[in-house]
Amino acid sequence: MDFSFQFDWQAAIDSIPFLLKGIPYTLLISFGGLLIGFVLGIIFGLLSINKKWFLRWPATAYIEIFRGTPILVQVLFIFYGLPDLIGSPINPLTAGIAAIALNSGAYISEVVRGGVQSIDKGQSEAGLSLGLSRTQTFWSVIWPQAFRRMIPPLGNQAIVSIKDTSLFSVIGVGELVRQGQIYIANTFTAFEVYFVVALLYLAITLSLSMILRFVERRGLASV
Amino acid sequence: MTHIVEMKGMNKYFGKLHVLKNIDLTVEPGEVVVIIGASGSGKSTLIRCANGLEEYESGKLIVDGHPLAPKGGNQKALAEIRKEVGMVFQQFNLFPHLTVKKNIMLAPMKVKSTPETVANATAERLLNRVGIGNQADKYPSQLSGGQQQRVAIARALAMEPRLMLFDEPTSALDPEMIGEVLDVMRELAKEGMTMMVVTHEMGFAREVADRVIYIHEGQIVEQGKPDDVFDNPQNERTQAFLSRVLAH
């Protein structure tokens, strides 16, 4: 048997234009999903610390279900299962965005809950004692401080969600991994192509890390 | 004369713990009432009831003409009371994400819809009054403890309160900064502000208070003019407490 293996640089470079076509989908699913997930996270995160049990329980149920089941199962359920229920097919892109939104929303709910609960009780007491309503105290005093503390874990979640989109190759979204699979099917250059795919993910996540670190430093400097 | 604060047979529990027992207390306009007592005696809880930060279980509480029902009953009265009662906390509780000036401007603008220019002018005037006019654009963390507490007083004053509550305002301060905060409070008292002060500063109590109240295990056991309470306490619990705190 011949174990000698040569990394074929030309094959790697040749694959790039085709792989790049997957990036817009990867970014659209990630950031579209995360944006909705952020809204869901604020809503359910705040509901999960509400004093009223009938608001708290459904929120907690949502968080536990979507944190406690694999995102791959979630997206398969949305793409193959839900159409049976609603009677019409769901396009893979929508299914992907929905899966990221619901999944990241559950994690972001926990980030929101933790951020809000980390703010000292004295802060809300000060707000209330000045005559601010509970709502005013929350949005003017608690939330701005909590949000600053949420930036690092939110960045973490964004990176996790970006990588999770790679799973959606199974429902046929033309994202990065799917593009790679198609390309390899024709060229049989798996090693080179997946190497490039990995590098492209790294480029996205590293850029995001750098932006977040910058935002974080700006945000904390003013406290 | 209408009372600023009227507590009648007020009881407060933390779970099974009976922290305030049958409190009868009235505070008149312009009066400075200093509340003393050992830690855990309920003195902080008492003044926290006066702006509804603590709910009480039974009895009666009227603050500046607004009856506040037990168990946090009426939200409208509570909102009115909080507009009229300022509070200064042991840990300052300034808003760390806002500049000193914005700390002071926030409540007038949000609660009273005061125009920004007016709120700004008020903030500057109050900061000058508490002696830190030149720190307006700094963040609280850039100030010393004494300066932070003076900002907290200015922040409460910006709402033009009818009553000021002080919950151990100097207990978290380094000794050299206690004086500057007490000076501001002394000025306020002189200008006729109605004040309820929980403190361990017996010198301040003797000098500024119109009335000193001693609380023991949730009960008012003695009250009177500072000289009477300090020099000639009638209750043996008061005597024991004072001999402990005045000994050193």
Side-chain angles (χ1 to χ4, degrees):
Chain A
M1 265 176 119
D2 182 11
F3 285 103
S4 70
F5 177 78
Q6 283 277 314
F7 188 89
D8 185 345
W9 287 100
Q10 198 52 49
I13 292 163
D14 287 348
S15 72
I16 291 174
F18 190 79
L19 293 178
L20 283 179
K21 286 185 197 158
I23 295 229
Y25 287 100
T26 294
L27 293 180
L28 179 64
I29 299 170
S30 313
F31 290 103
L34 280 164
L35 204 68
I36 303 168
F38 184 58
V39 176
L40 291 177
I42 293 175
I43 295 170
F44 287 99
L46 296 182
L47 287 177
S48 76
I49 47 177
N50 199 286
K51 279 192 185 129
K52 300 187 182 78
W53 65 269
F54 57 88
L55 295 175
R56 199 172 60 238
W57 288 9
T60 309
Y62 158 72
I63 294 166
E64 293 303 334
I65 288 168
F66 281 91
R67 277 198 321 164
T69 55
I71 189 168
L72 181 57
V73 176
Q74 290 165 15
V75 77
L76 290 173
F77 184 83
I78 293 168
F79 186 67
Y80 293 112
L82 268 192
D84 289 346
L85 188 73
I86 60 176
S88 70
I90 295 173
N91 84 50
L93 191 64
T94 310
I97 293 175
I100 292 291
L102 289 165
N103 186 270
S104 71
Y107 283 95
I108 294 172
S109 296
E110 287 291 275
V111 171
V112 168
R113 184 181 64 82
V116 169
Q117 287 182 332
S118 76
I119 303 303
D120 183 67
K121 198 167 140 256
Q123 289 292 307
S124 59
E125 289 188 349
L128 294 173
S129 79
L130 286 165
L132 298 173
S133 67
R134 290 204 160 272
T135 315
Q136 287 172 327
T137 300
F138 183 79
W139 291 113
S140 307
V141 176
I142 308 298
W143 180 255
Q145 298 182 56
F147 184 71
R148 250 163 244 194
R149 294 190 189 180
M150 283 159 49
I151 293 172
L154 282 176
N156 200 35
Q157 181 57 45
I159 286 169
V160 169
S161 290
I162 289 167
K163 293 184 299 174
D164 280 348
T165 61
S166 64
L167 295 166
F168 302 164
S169 54
V170 298
I171 58 167
V173 191
E175 46 67 72
L176 202 41
V177 169
R178 177 75 180 162
Q179 289 298 99
Q181 289 171 338
I182 295 169
Y183 192 80
I184 292 161
N186 293 310
T187 61
F188 308 106
T189 48
F191 191 90
E192 287 80 2
V193 172
Y194 281 132
F195 184 76
V196 176
V197 166
L199 282 183
L200 289 173
Y201 275 110
L202 201 57
I204 299 172
T205 54
L206 282 179
S207 327
L208 183 66
S209 290
M210 272 158 58
I211 294 169
L212 283 165
R213 225 162 270 161
F214 177 74
V215 170
E216 216 177 299
R217 221 171 304 143
R218 288 286 297 267
L220 295 176
S222 60
V223 171
Chain B
M1 192 155 59
T2 51
H3 312 299
I4 294 274
V5 179
E6 185 179 358
M7 297 171 170
K8 263 217 173 100
M10 202 175 75
N11 286 285
K12 158 87 189 159
Y13 297 82
F14 284 131
K16 282 187 176 161
L17 193 69
H18 197 173
V19 282
L20 292 178
K21 298 168 186 163
N22 249 338
I23 298 289
D24 289 315
L25 173 65
T26 54
V27 178
E28 309 303 332
E31 199 178 13
V32 177
V33 176
V34 170
I35 300 156
I36 58 172
S39 54
S41 58
K43 54 194 192 306
S44 285
T45 309
L46 177 69
I47 67 164
R48 286 164 59 87
C49 283
N51 69 346
L53 281 186
E54 299 288 351
E55 299 172 354
Y56 65 103
E57 270 67 42
S58 66
K60 201 169 92 173
L61 171 61
I62 302 173
V63 181
D64 204 19
H66 305 287
L68 185 60
K71 295 169 189 141
N74 35 1
Q75 291 301 308
K76 258 195 184 155
L78 191 58
E80 285 306 314
I81 288 170
R82 284 179 177 161
K83 270 186 231 173
E84 292 166 25
V85 180
M87 187 161 199
V88 175
F89 300 87
Q90 183 177 349
Q91 301 294 341
F92 328 137
N93 295 350
L94 292 178
F95 306 134
H97 61 299
L98 300 177
T99 62
V100 161
K101 195 193 264 180
K102 290 267 155 69
N103 262 274
I104 300 173
M105 292 165 64
L106 180 71
M109 288 173 64
K110 294 269 176 197
V111 181
K112 293 182 168 174
S113 308
T114 307
E116 189 169 355
T117 48
V118 178
N120 186 60
T122 307
E124 283 175 1
R125 177 172 56 77
L126 287 169
L127 282 171
N128 284 326
R129 181 165 158 195
V130 299
I132 33 180
N134 52 348
Q135 316 276 9
D137 295 318
K138 288 193 177 168
Y139 284 89
S141 60
Q142 297 171 294
L143 268 52
S144 73
Q147 290 174 324
Q148 288 190 52
Q149 193 60 300
R150 285 186 279 155
V151 173
I153 295 172
R155 180 175 69 173
L157 291 176
M159 288 296 287
E160 300 176 318
R162 304 249 298 142
L163 165 69
M164 282 283 282
L165 307 173
F166 292 87
D167 189 3
E168 303 201 27
T170 58
S171 297
L173 294 176
D174 292 336
E176 75 269 22
M177 292 171 186
I178 291 175
E180 63 194 62
V181 171
L182 293 181
D183 283 345
V184 172
M185 292 170 64
R186 208 173 273 125
E187 278 301 310
L188 262 184
K190 227 182 272 173
E191 288 162 22
M193 176 63 76
T194 313
M195 296 163 59
M196 291 176 81
V197 185
V198 170
T199 186
H200 295 288
E201 295 296 324
M202 297 302 157
F204 174 82
R206 188 188 277 268
E207 180 198 332
V208 179
D210 296 307
R211 183 157 41 121
V212 171
I213 291 177
Y214 174 64
I215 291 200
H216 180 78
E217 290 178 0
Q219 277 178 306
I220 295 178
V221 298
E222 184 153 0
Q223 57 178 313
K225 291 201 178 308
D227 288 346
D228 295 339
V229 174
F230 284 119
D231 298 334
N232 193 16
Q234 300 301 304
N235 187 291
E236 61 184 61
R237 303 228 184 255
T238 321
Q239 291 163 6
F241 174 75
L242 288 174
S243 71
R244 258 179 291 134
V245 295
L246 297 178
H248 41 87

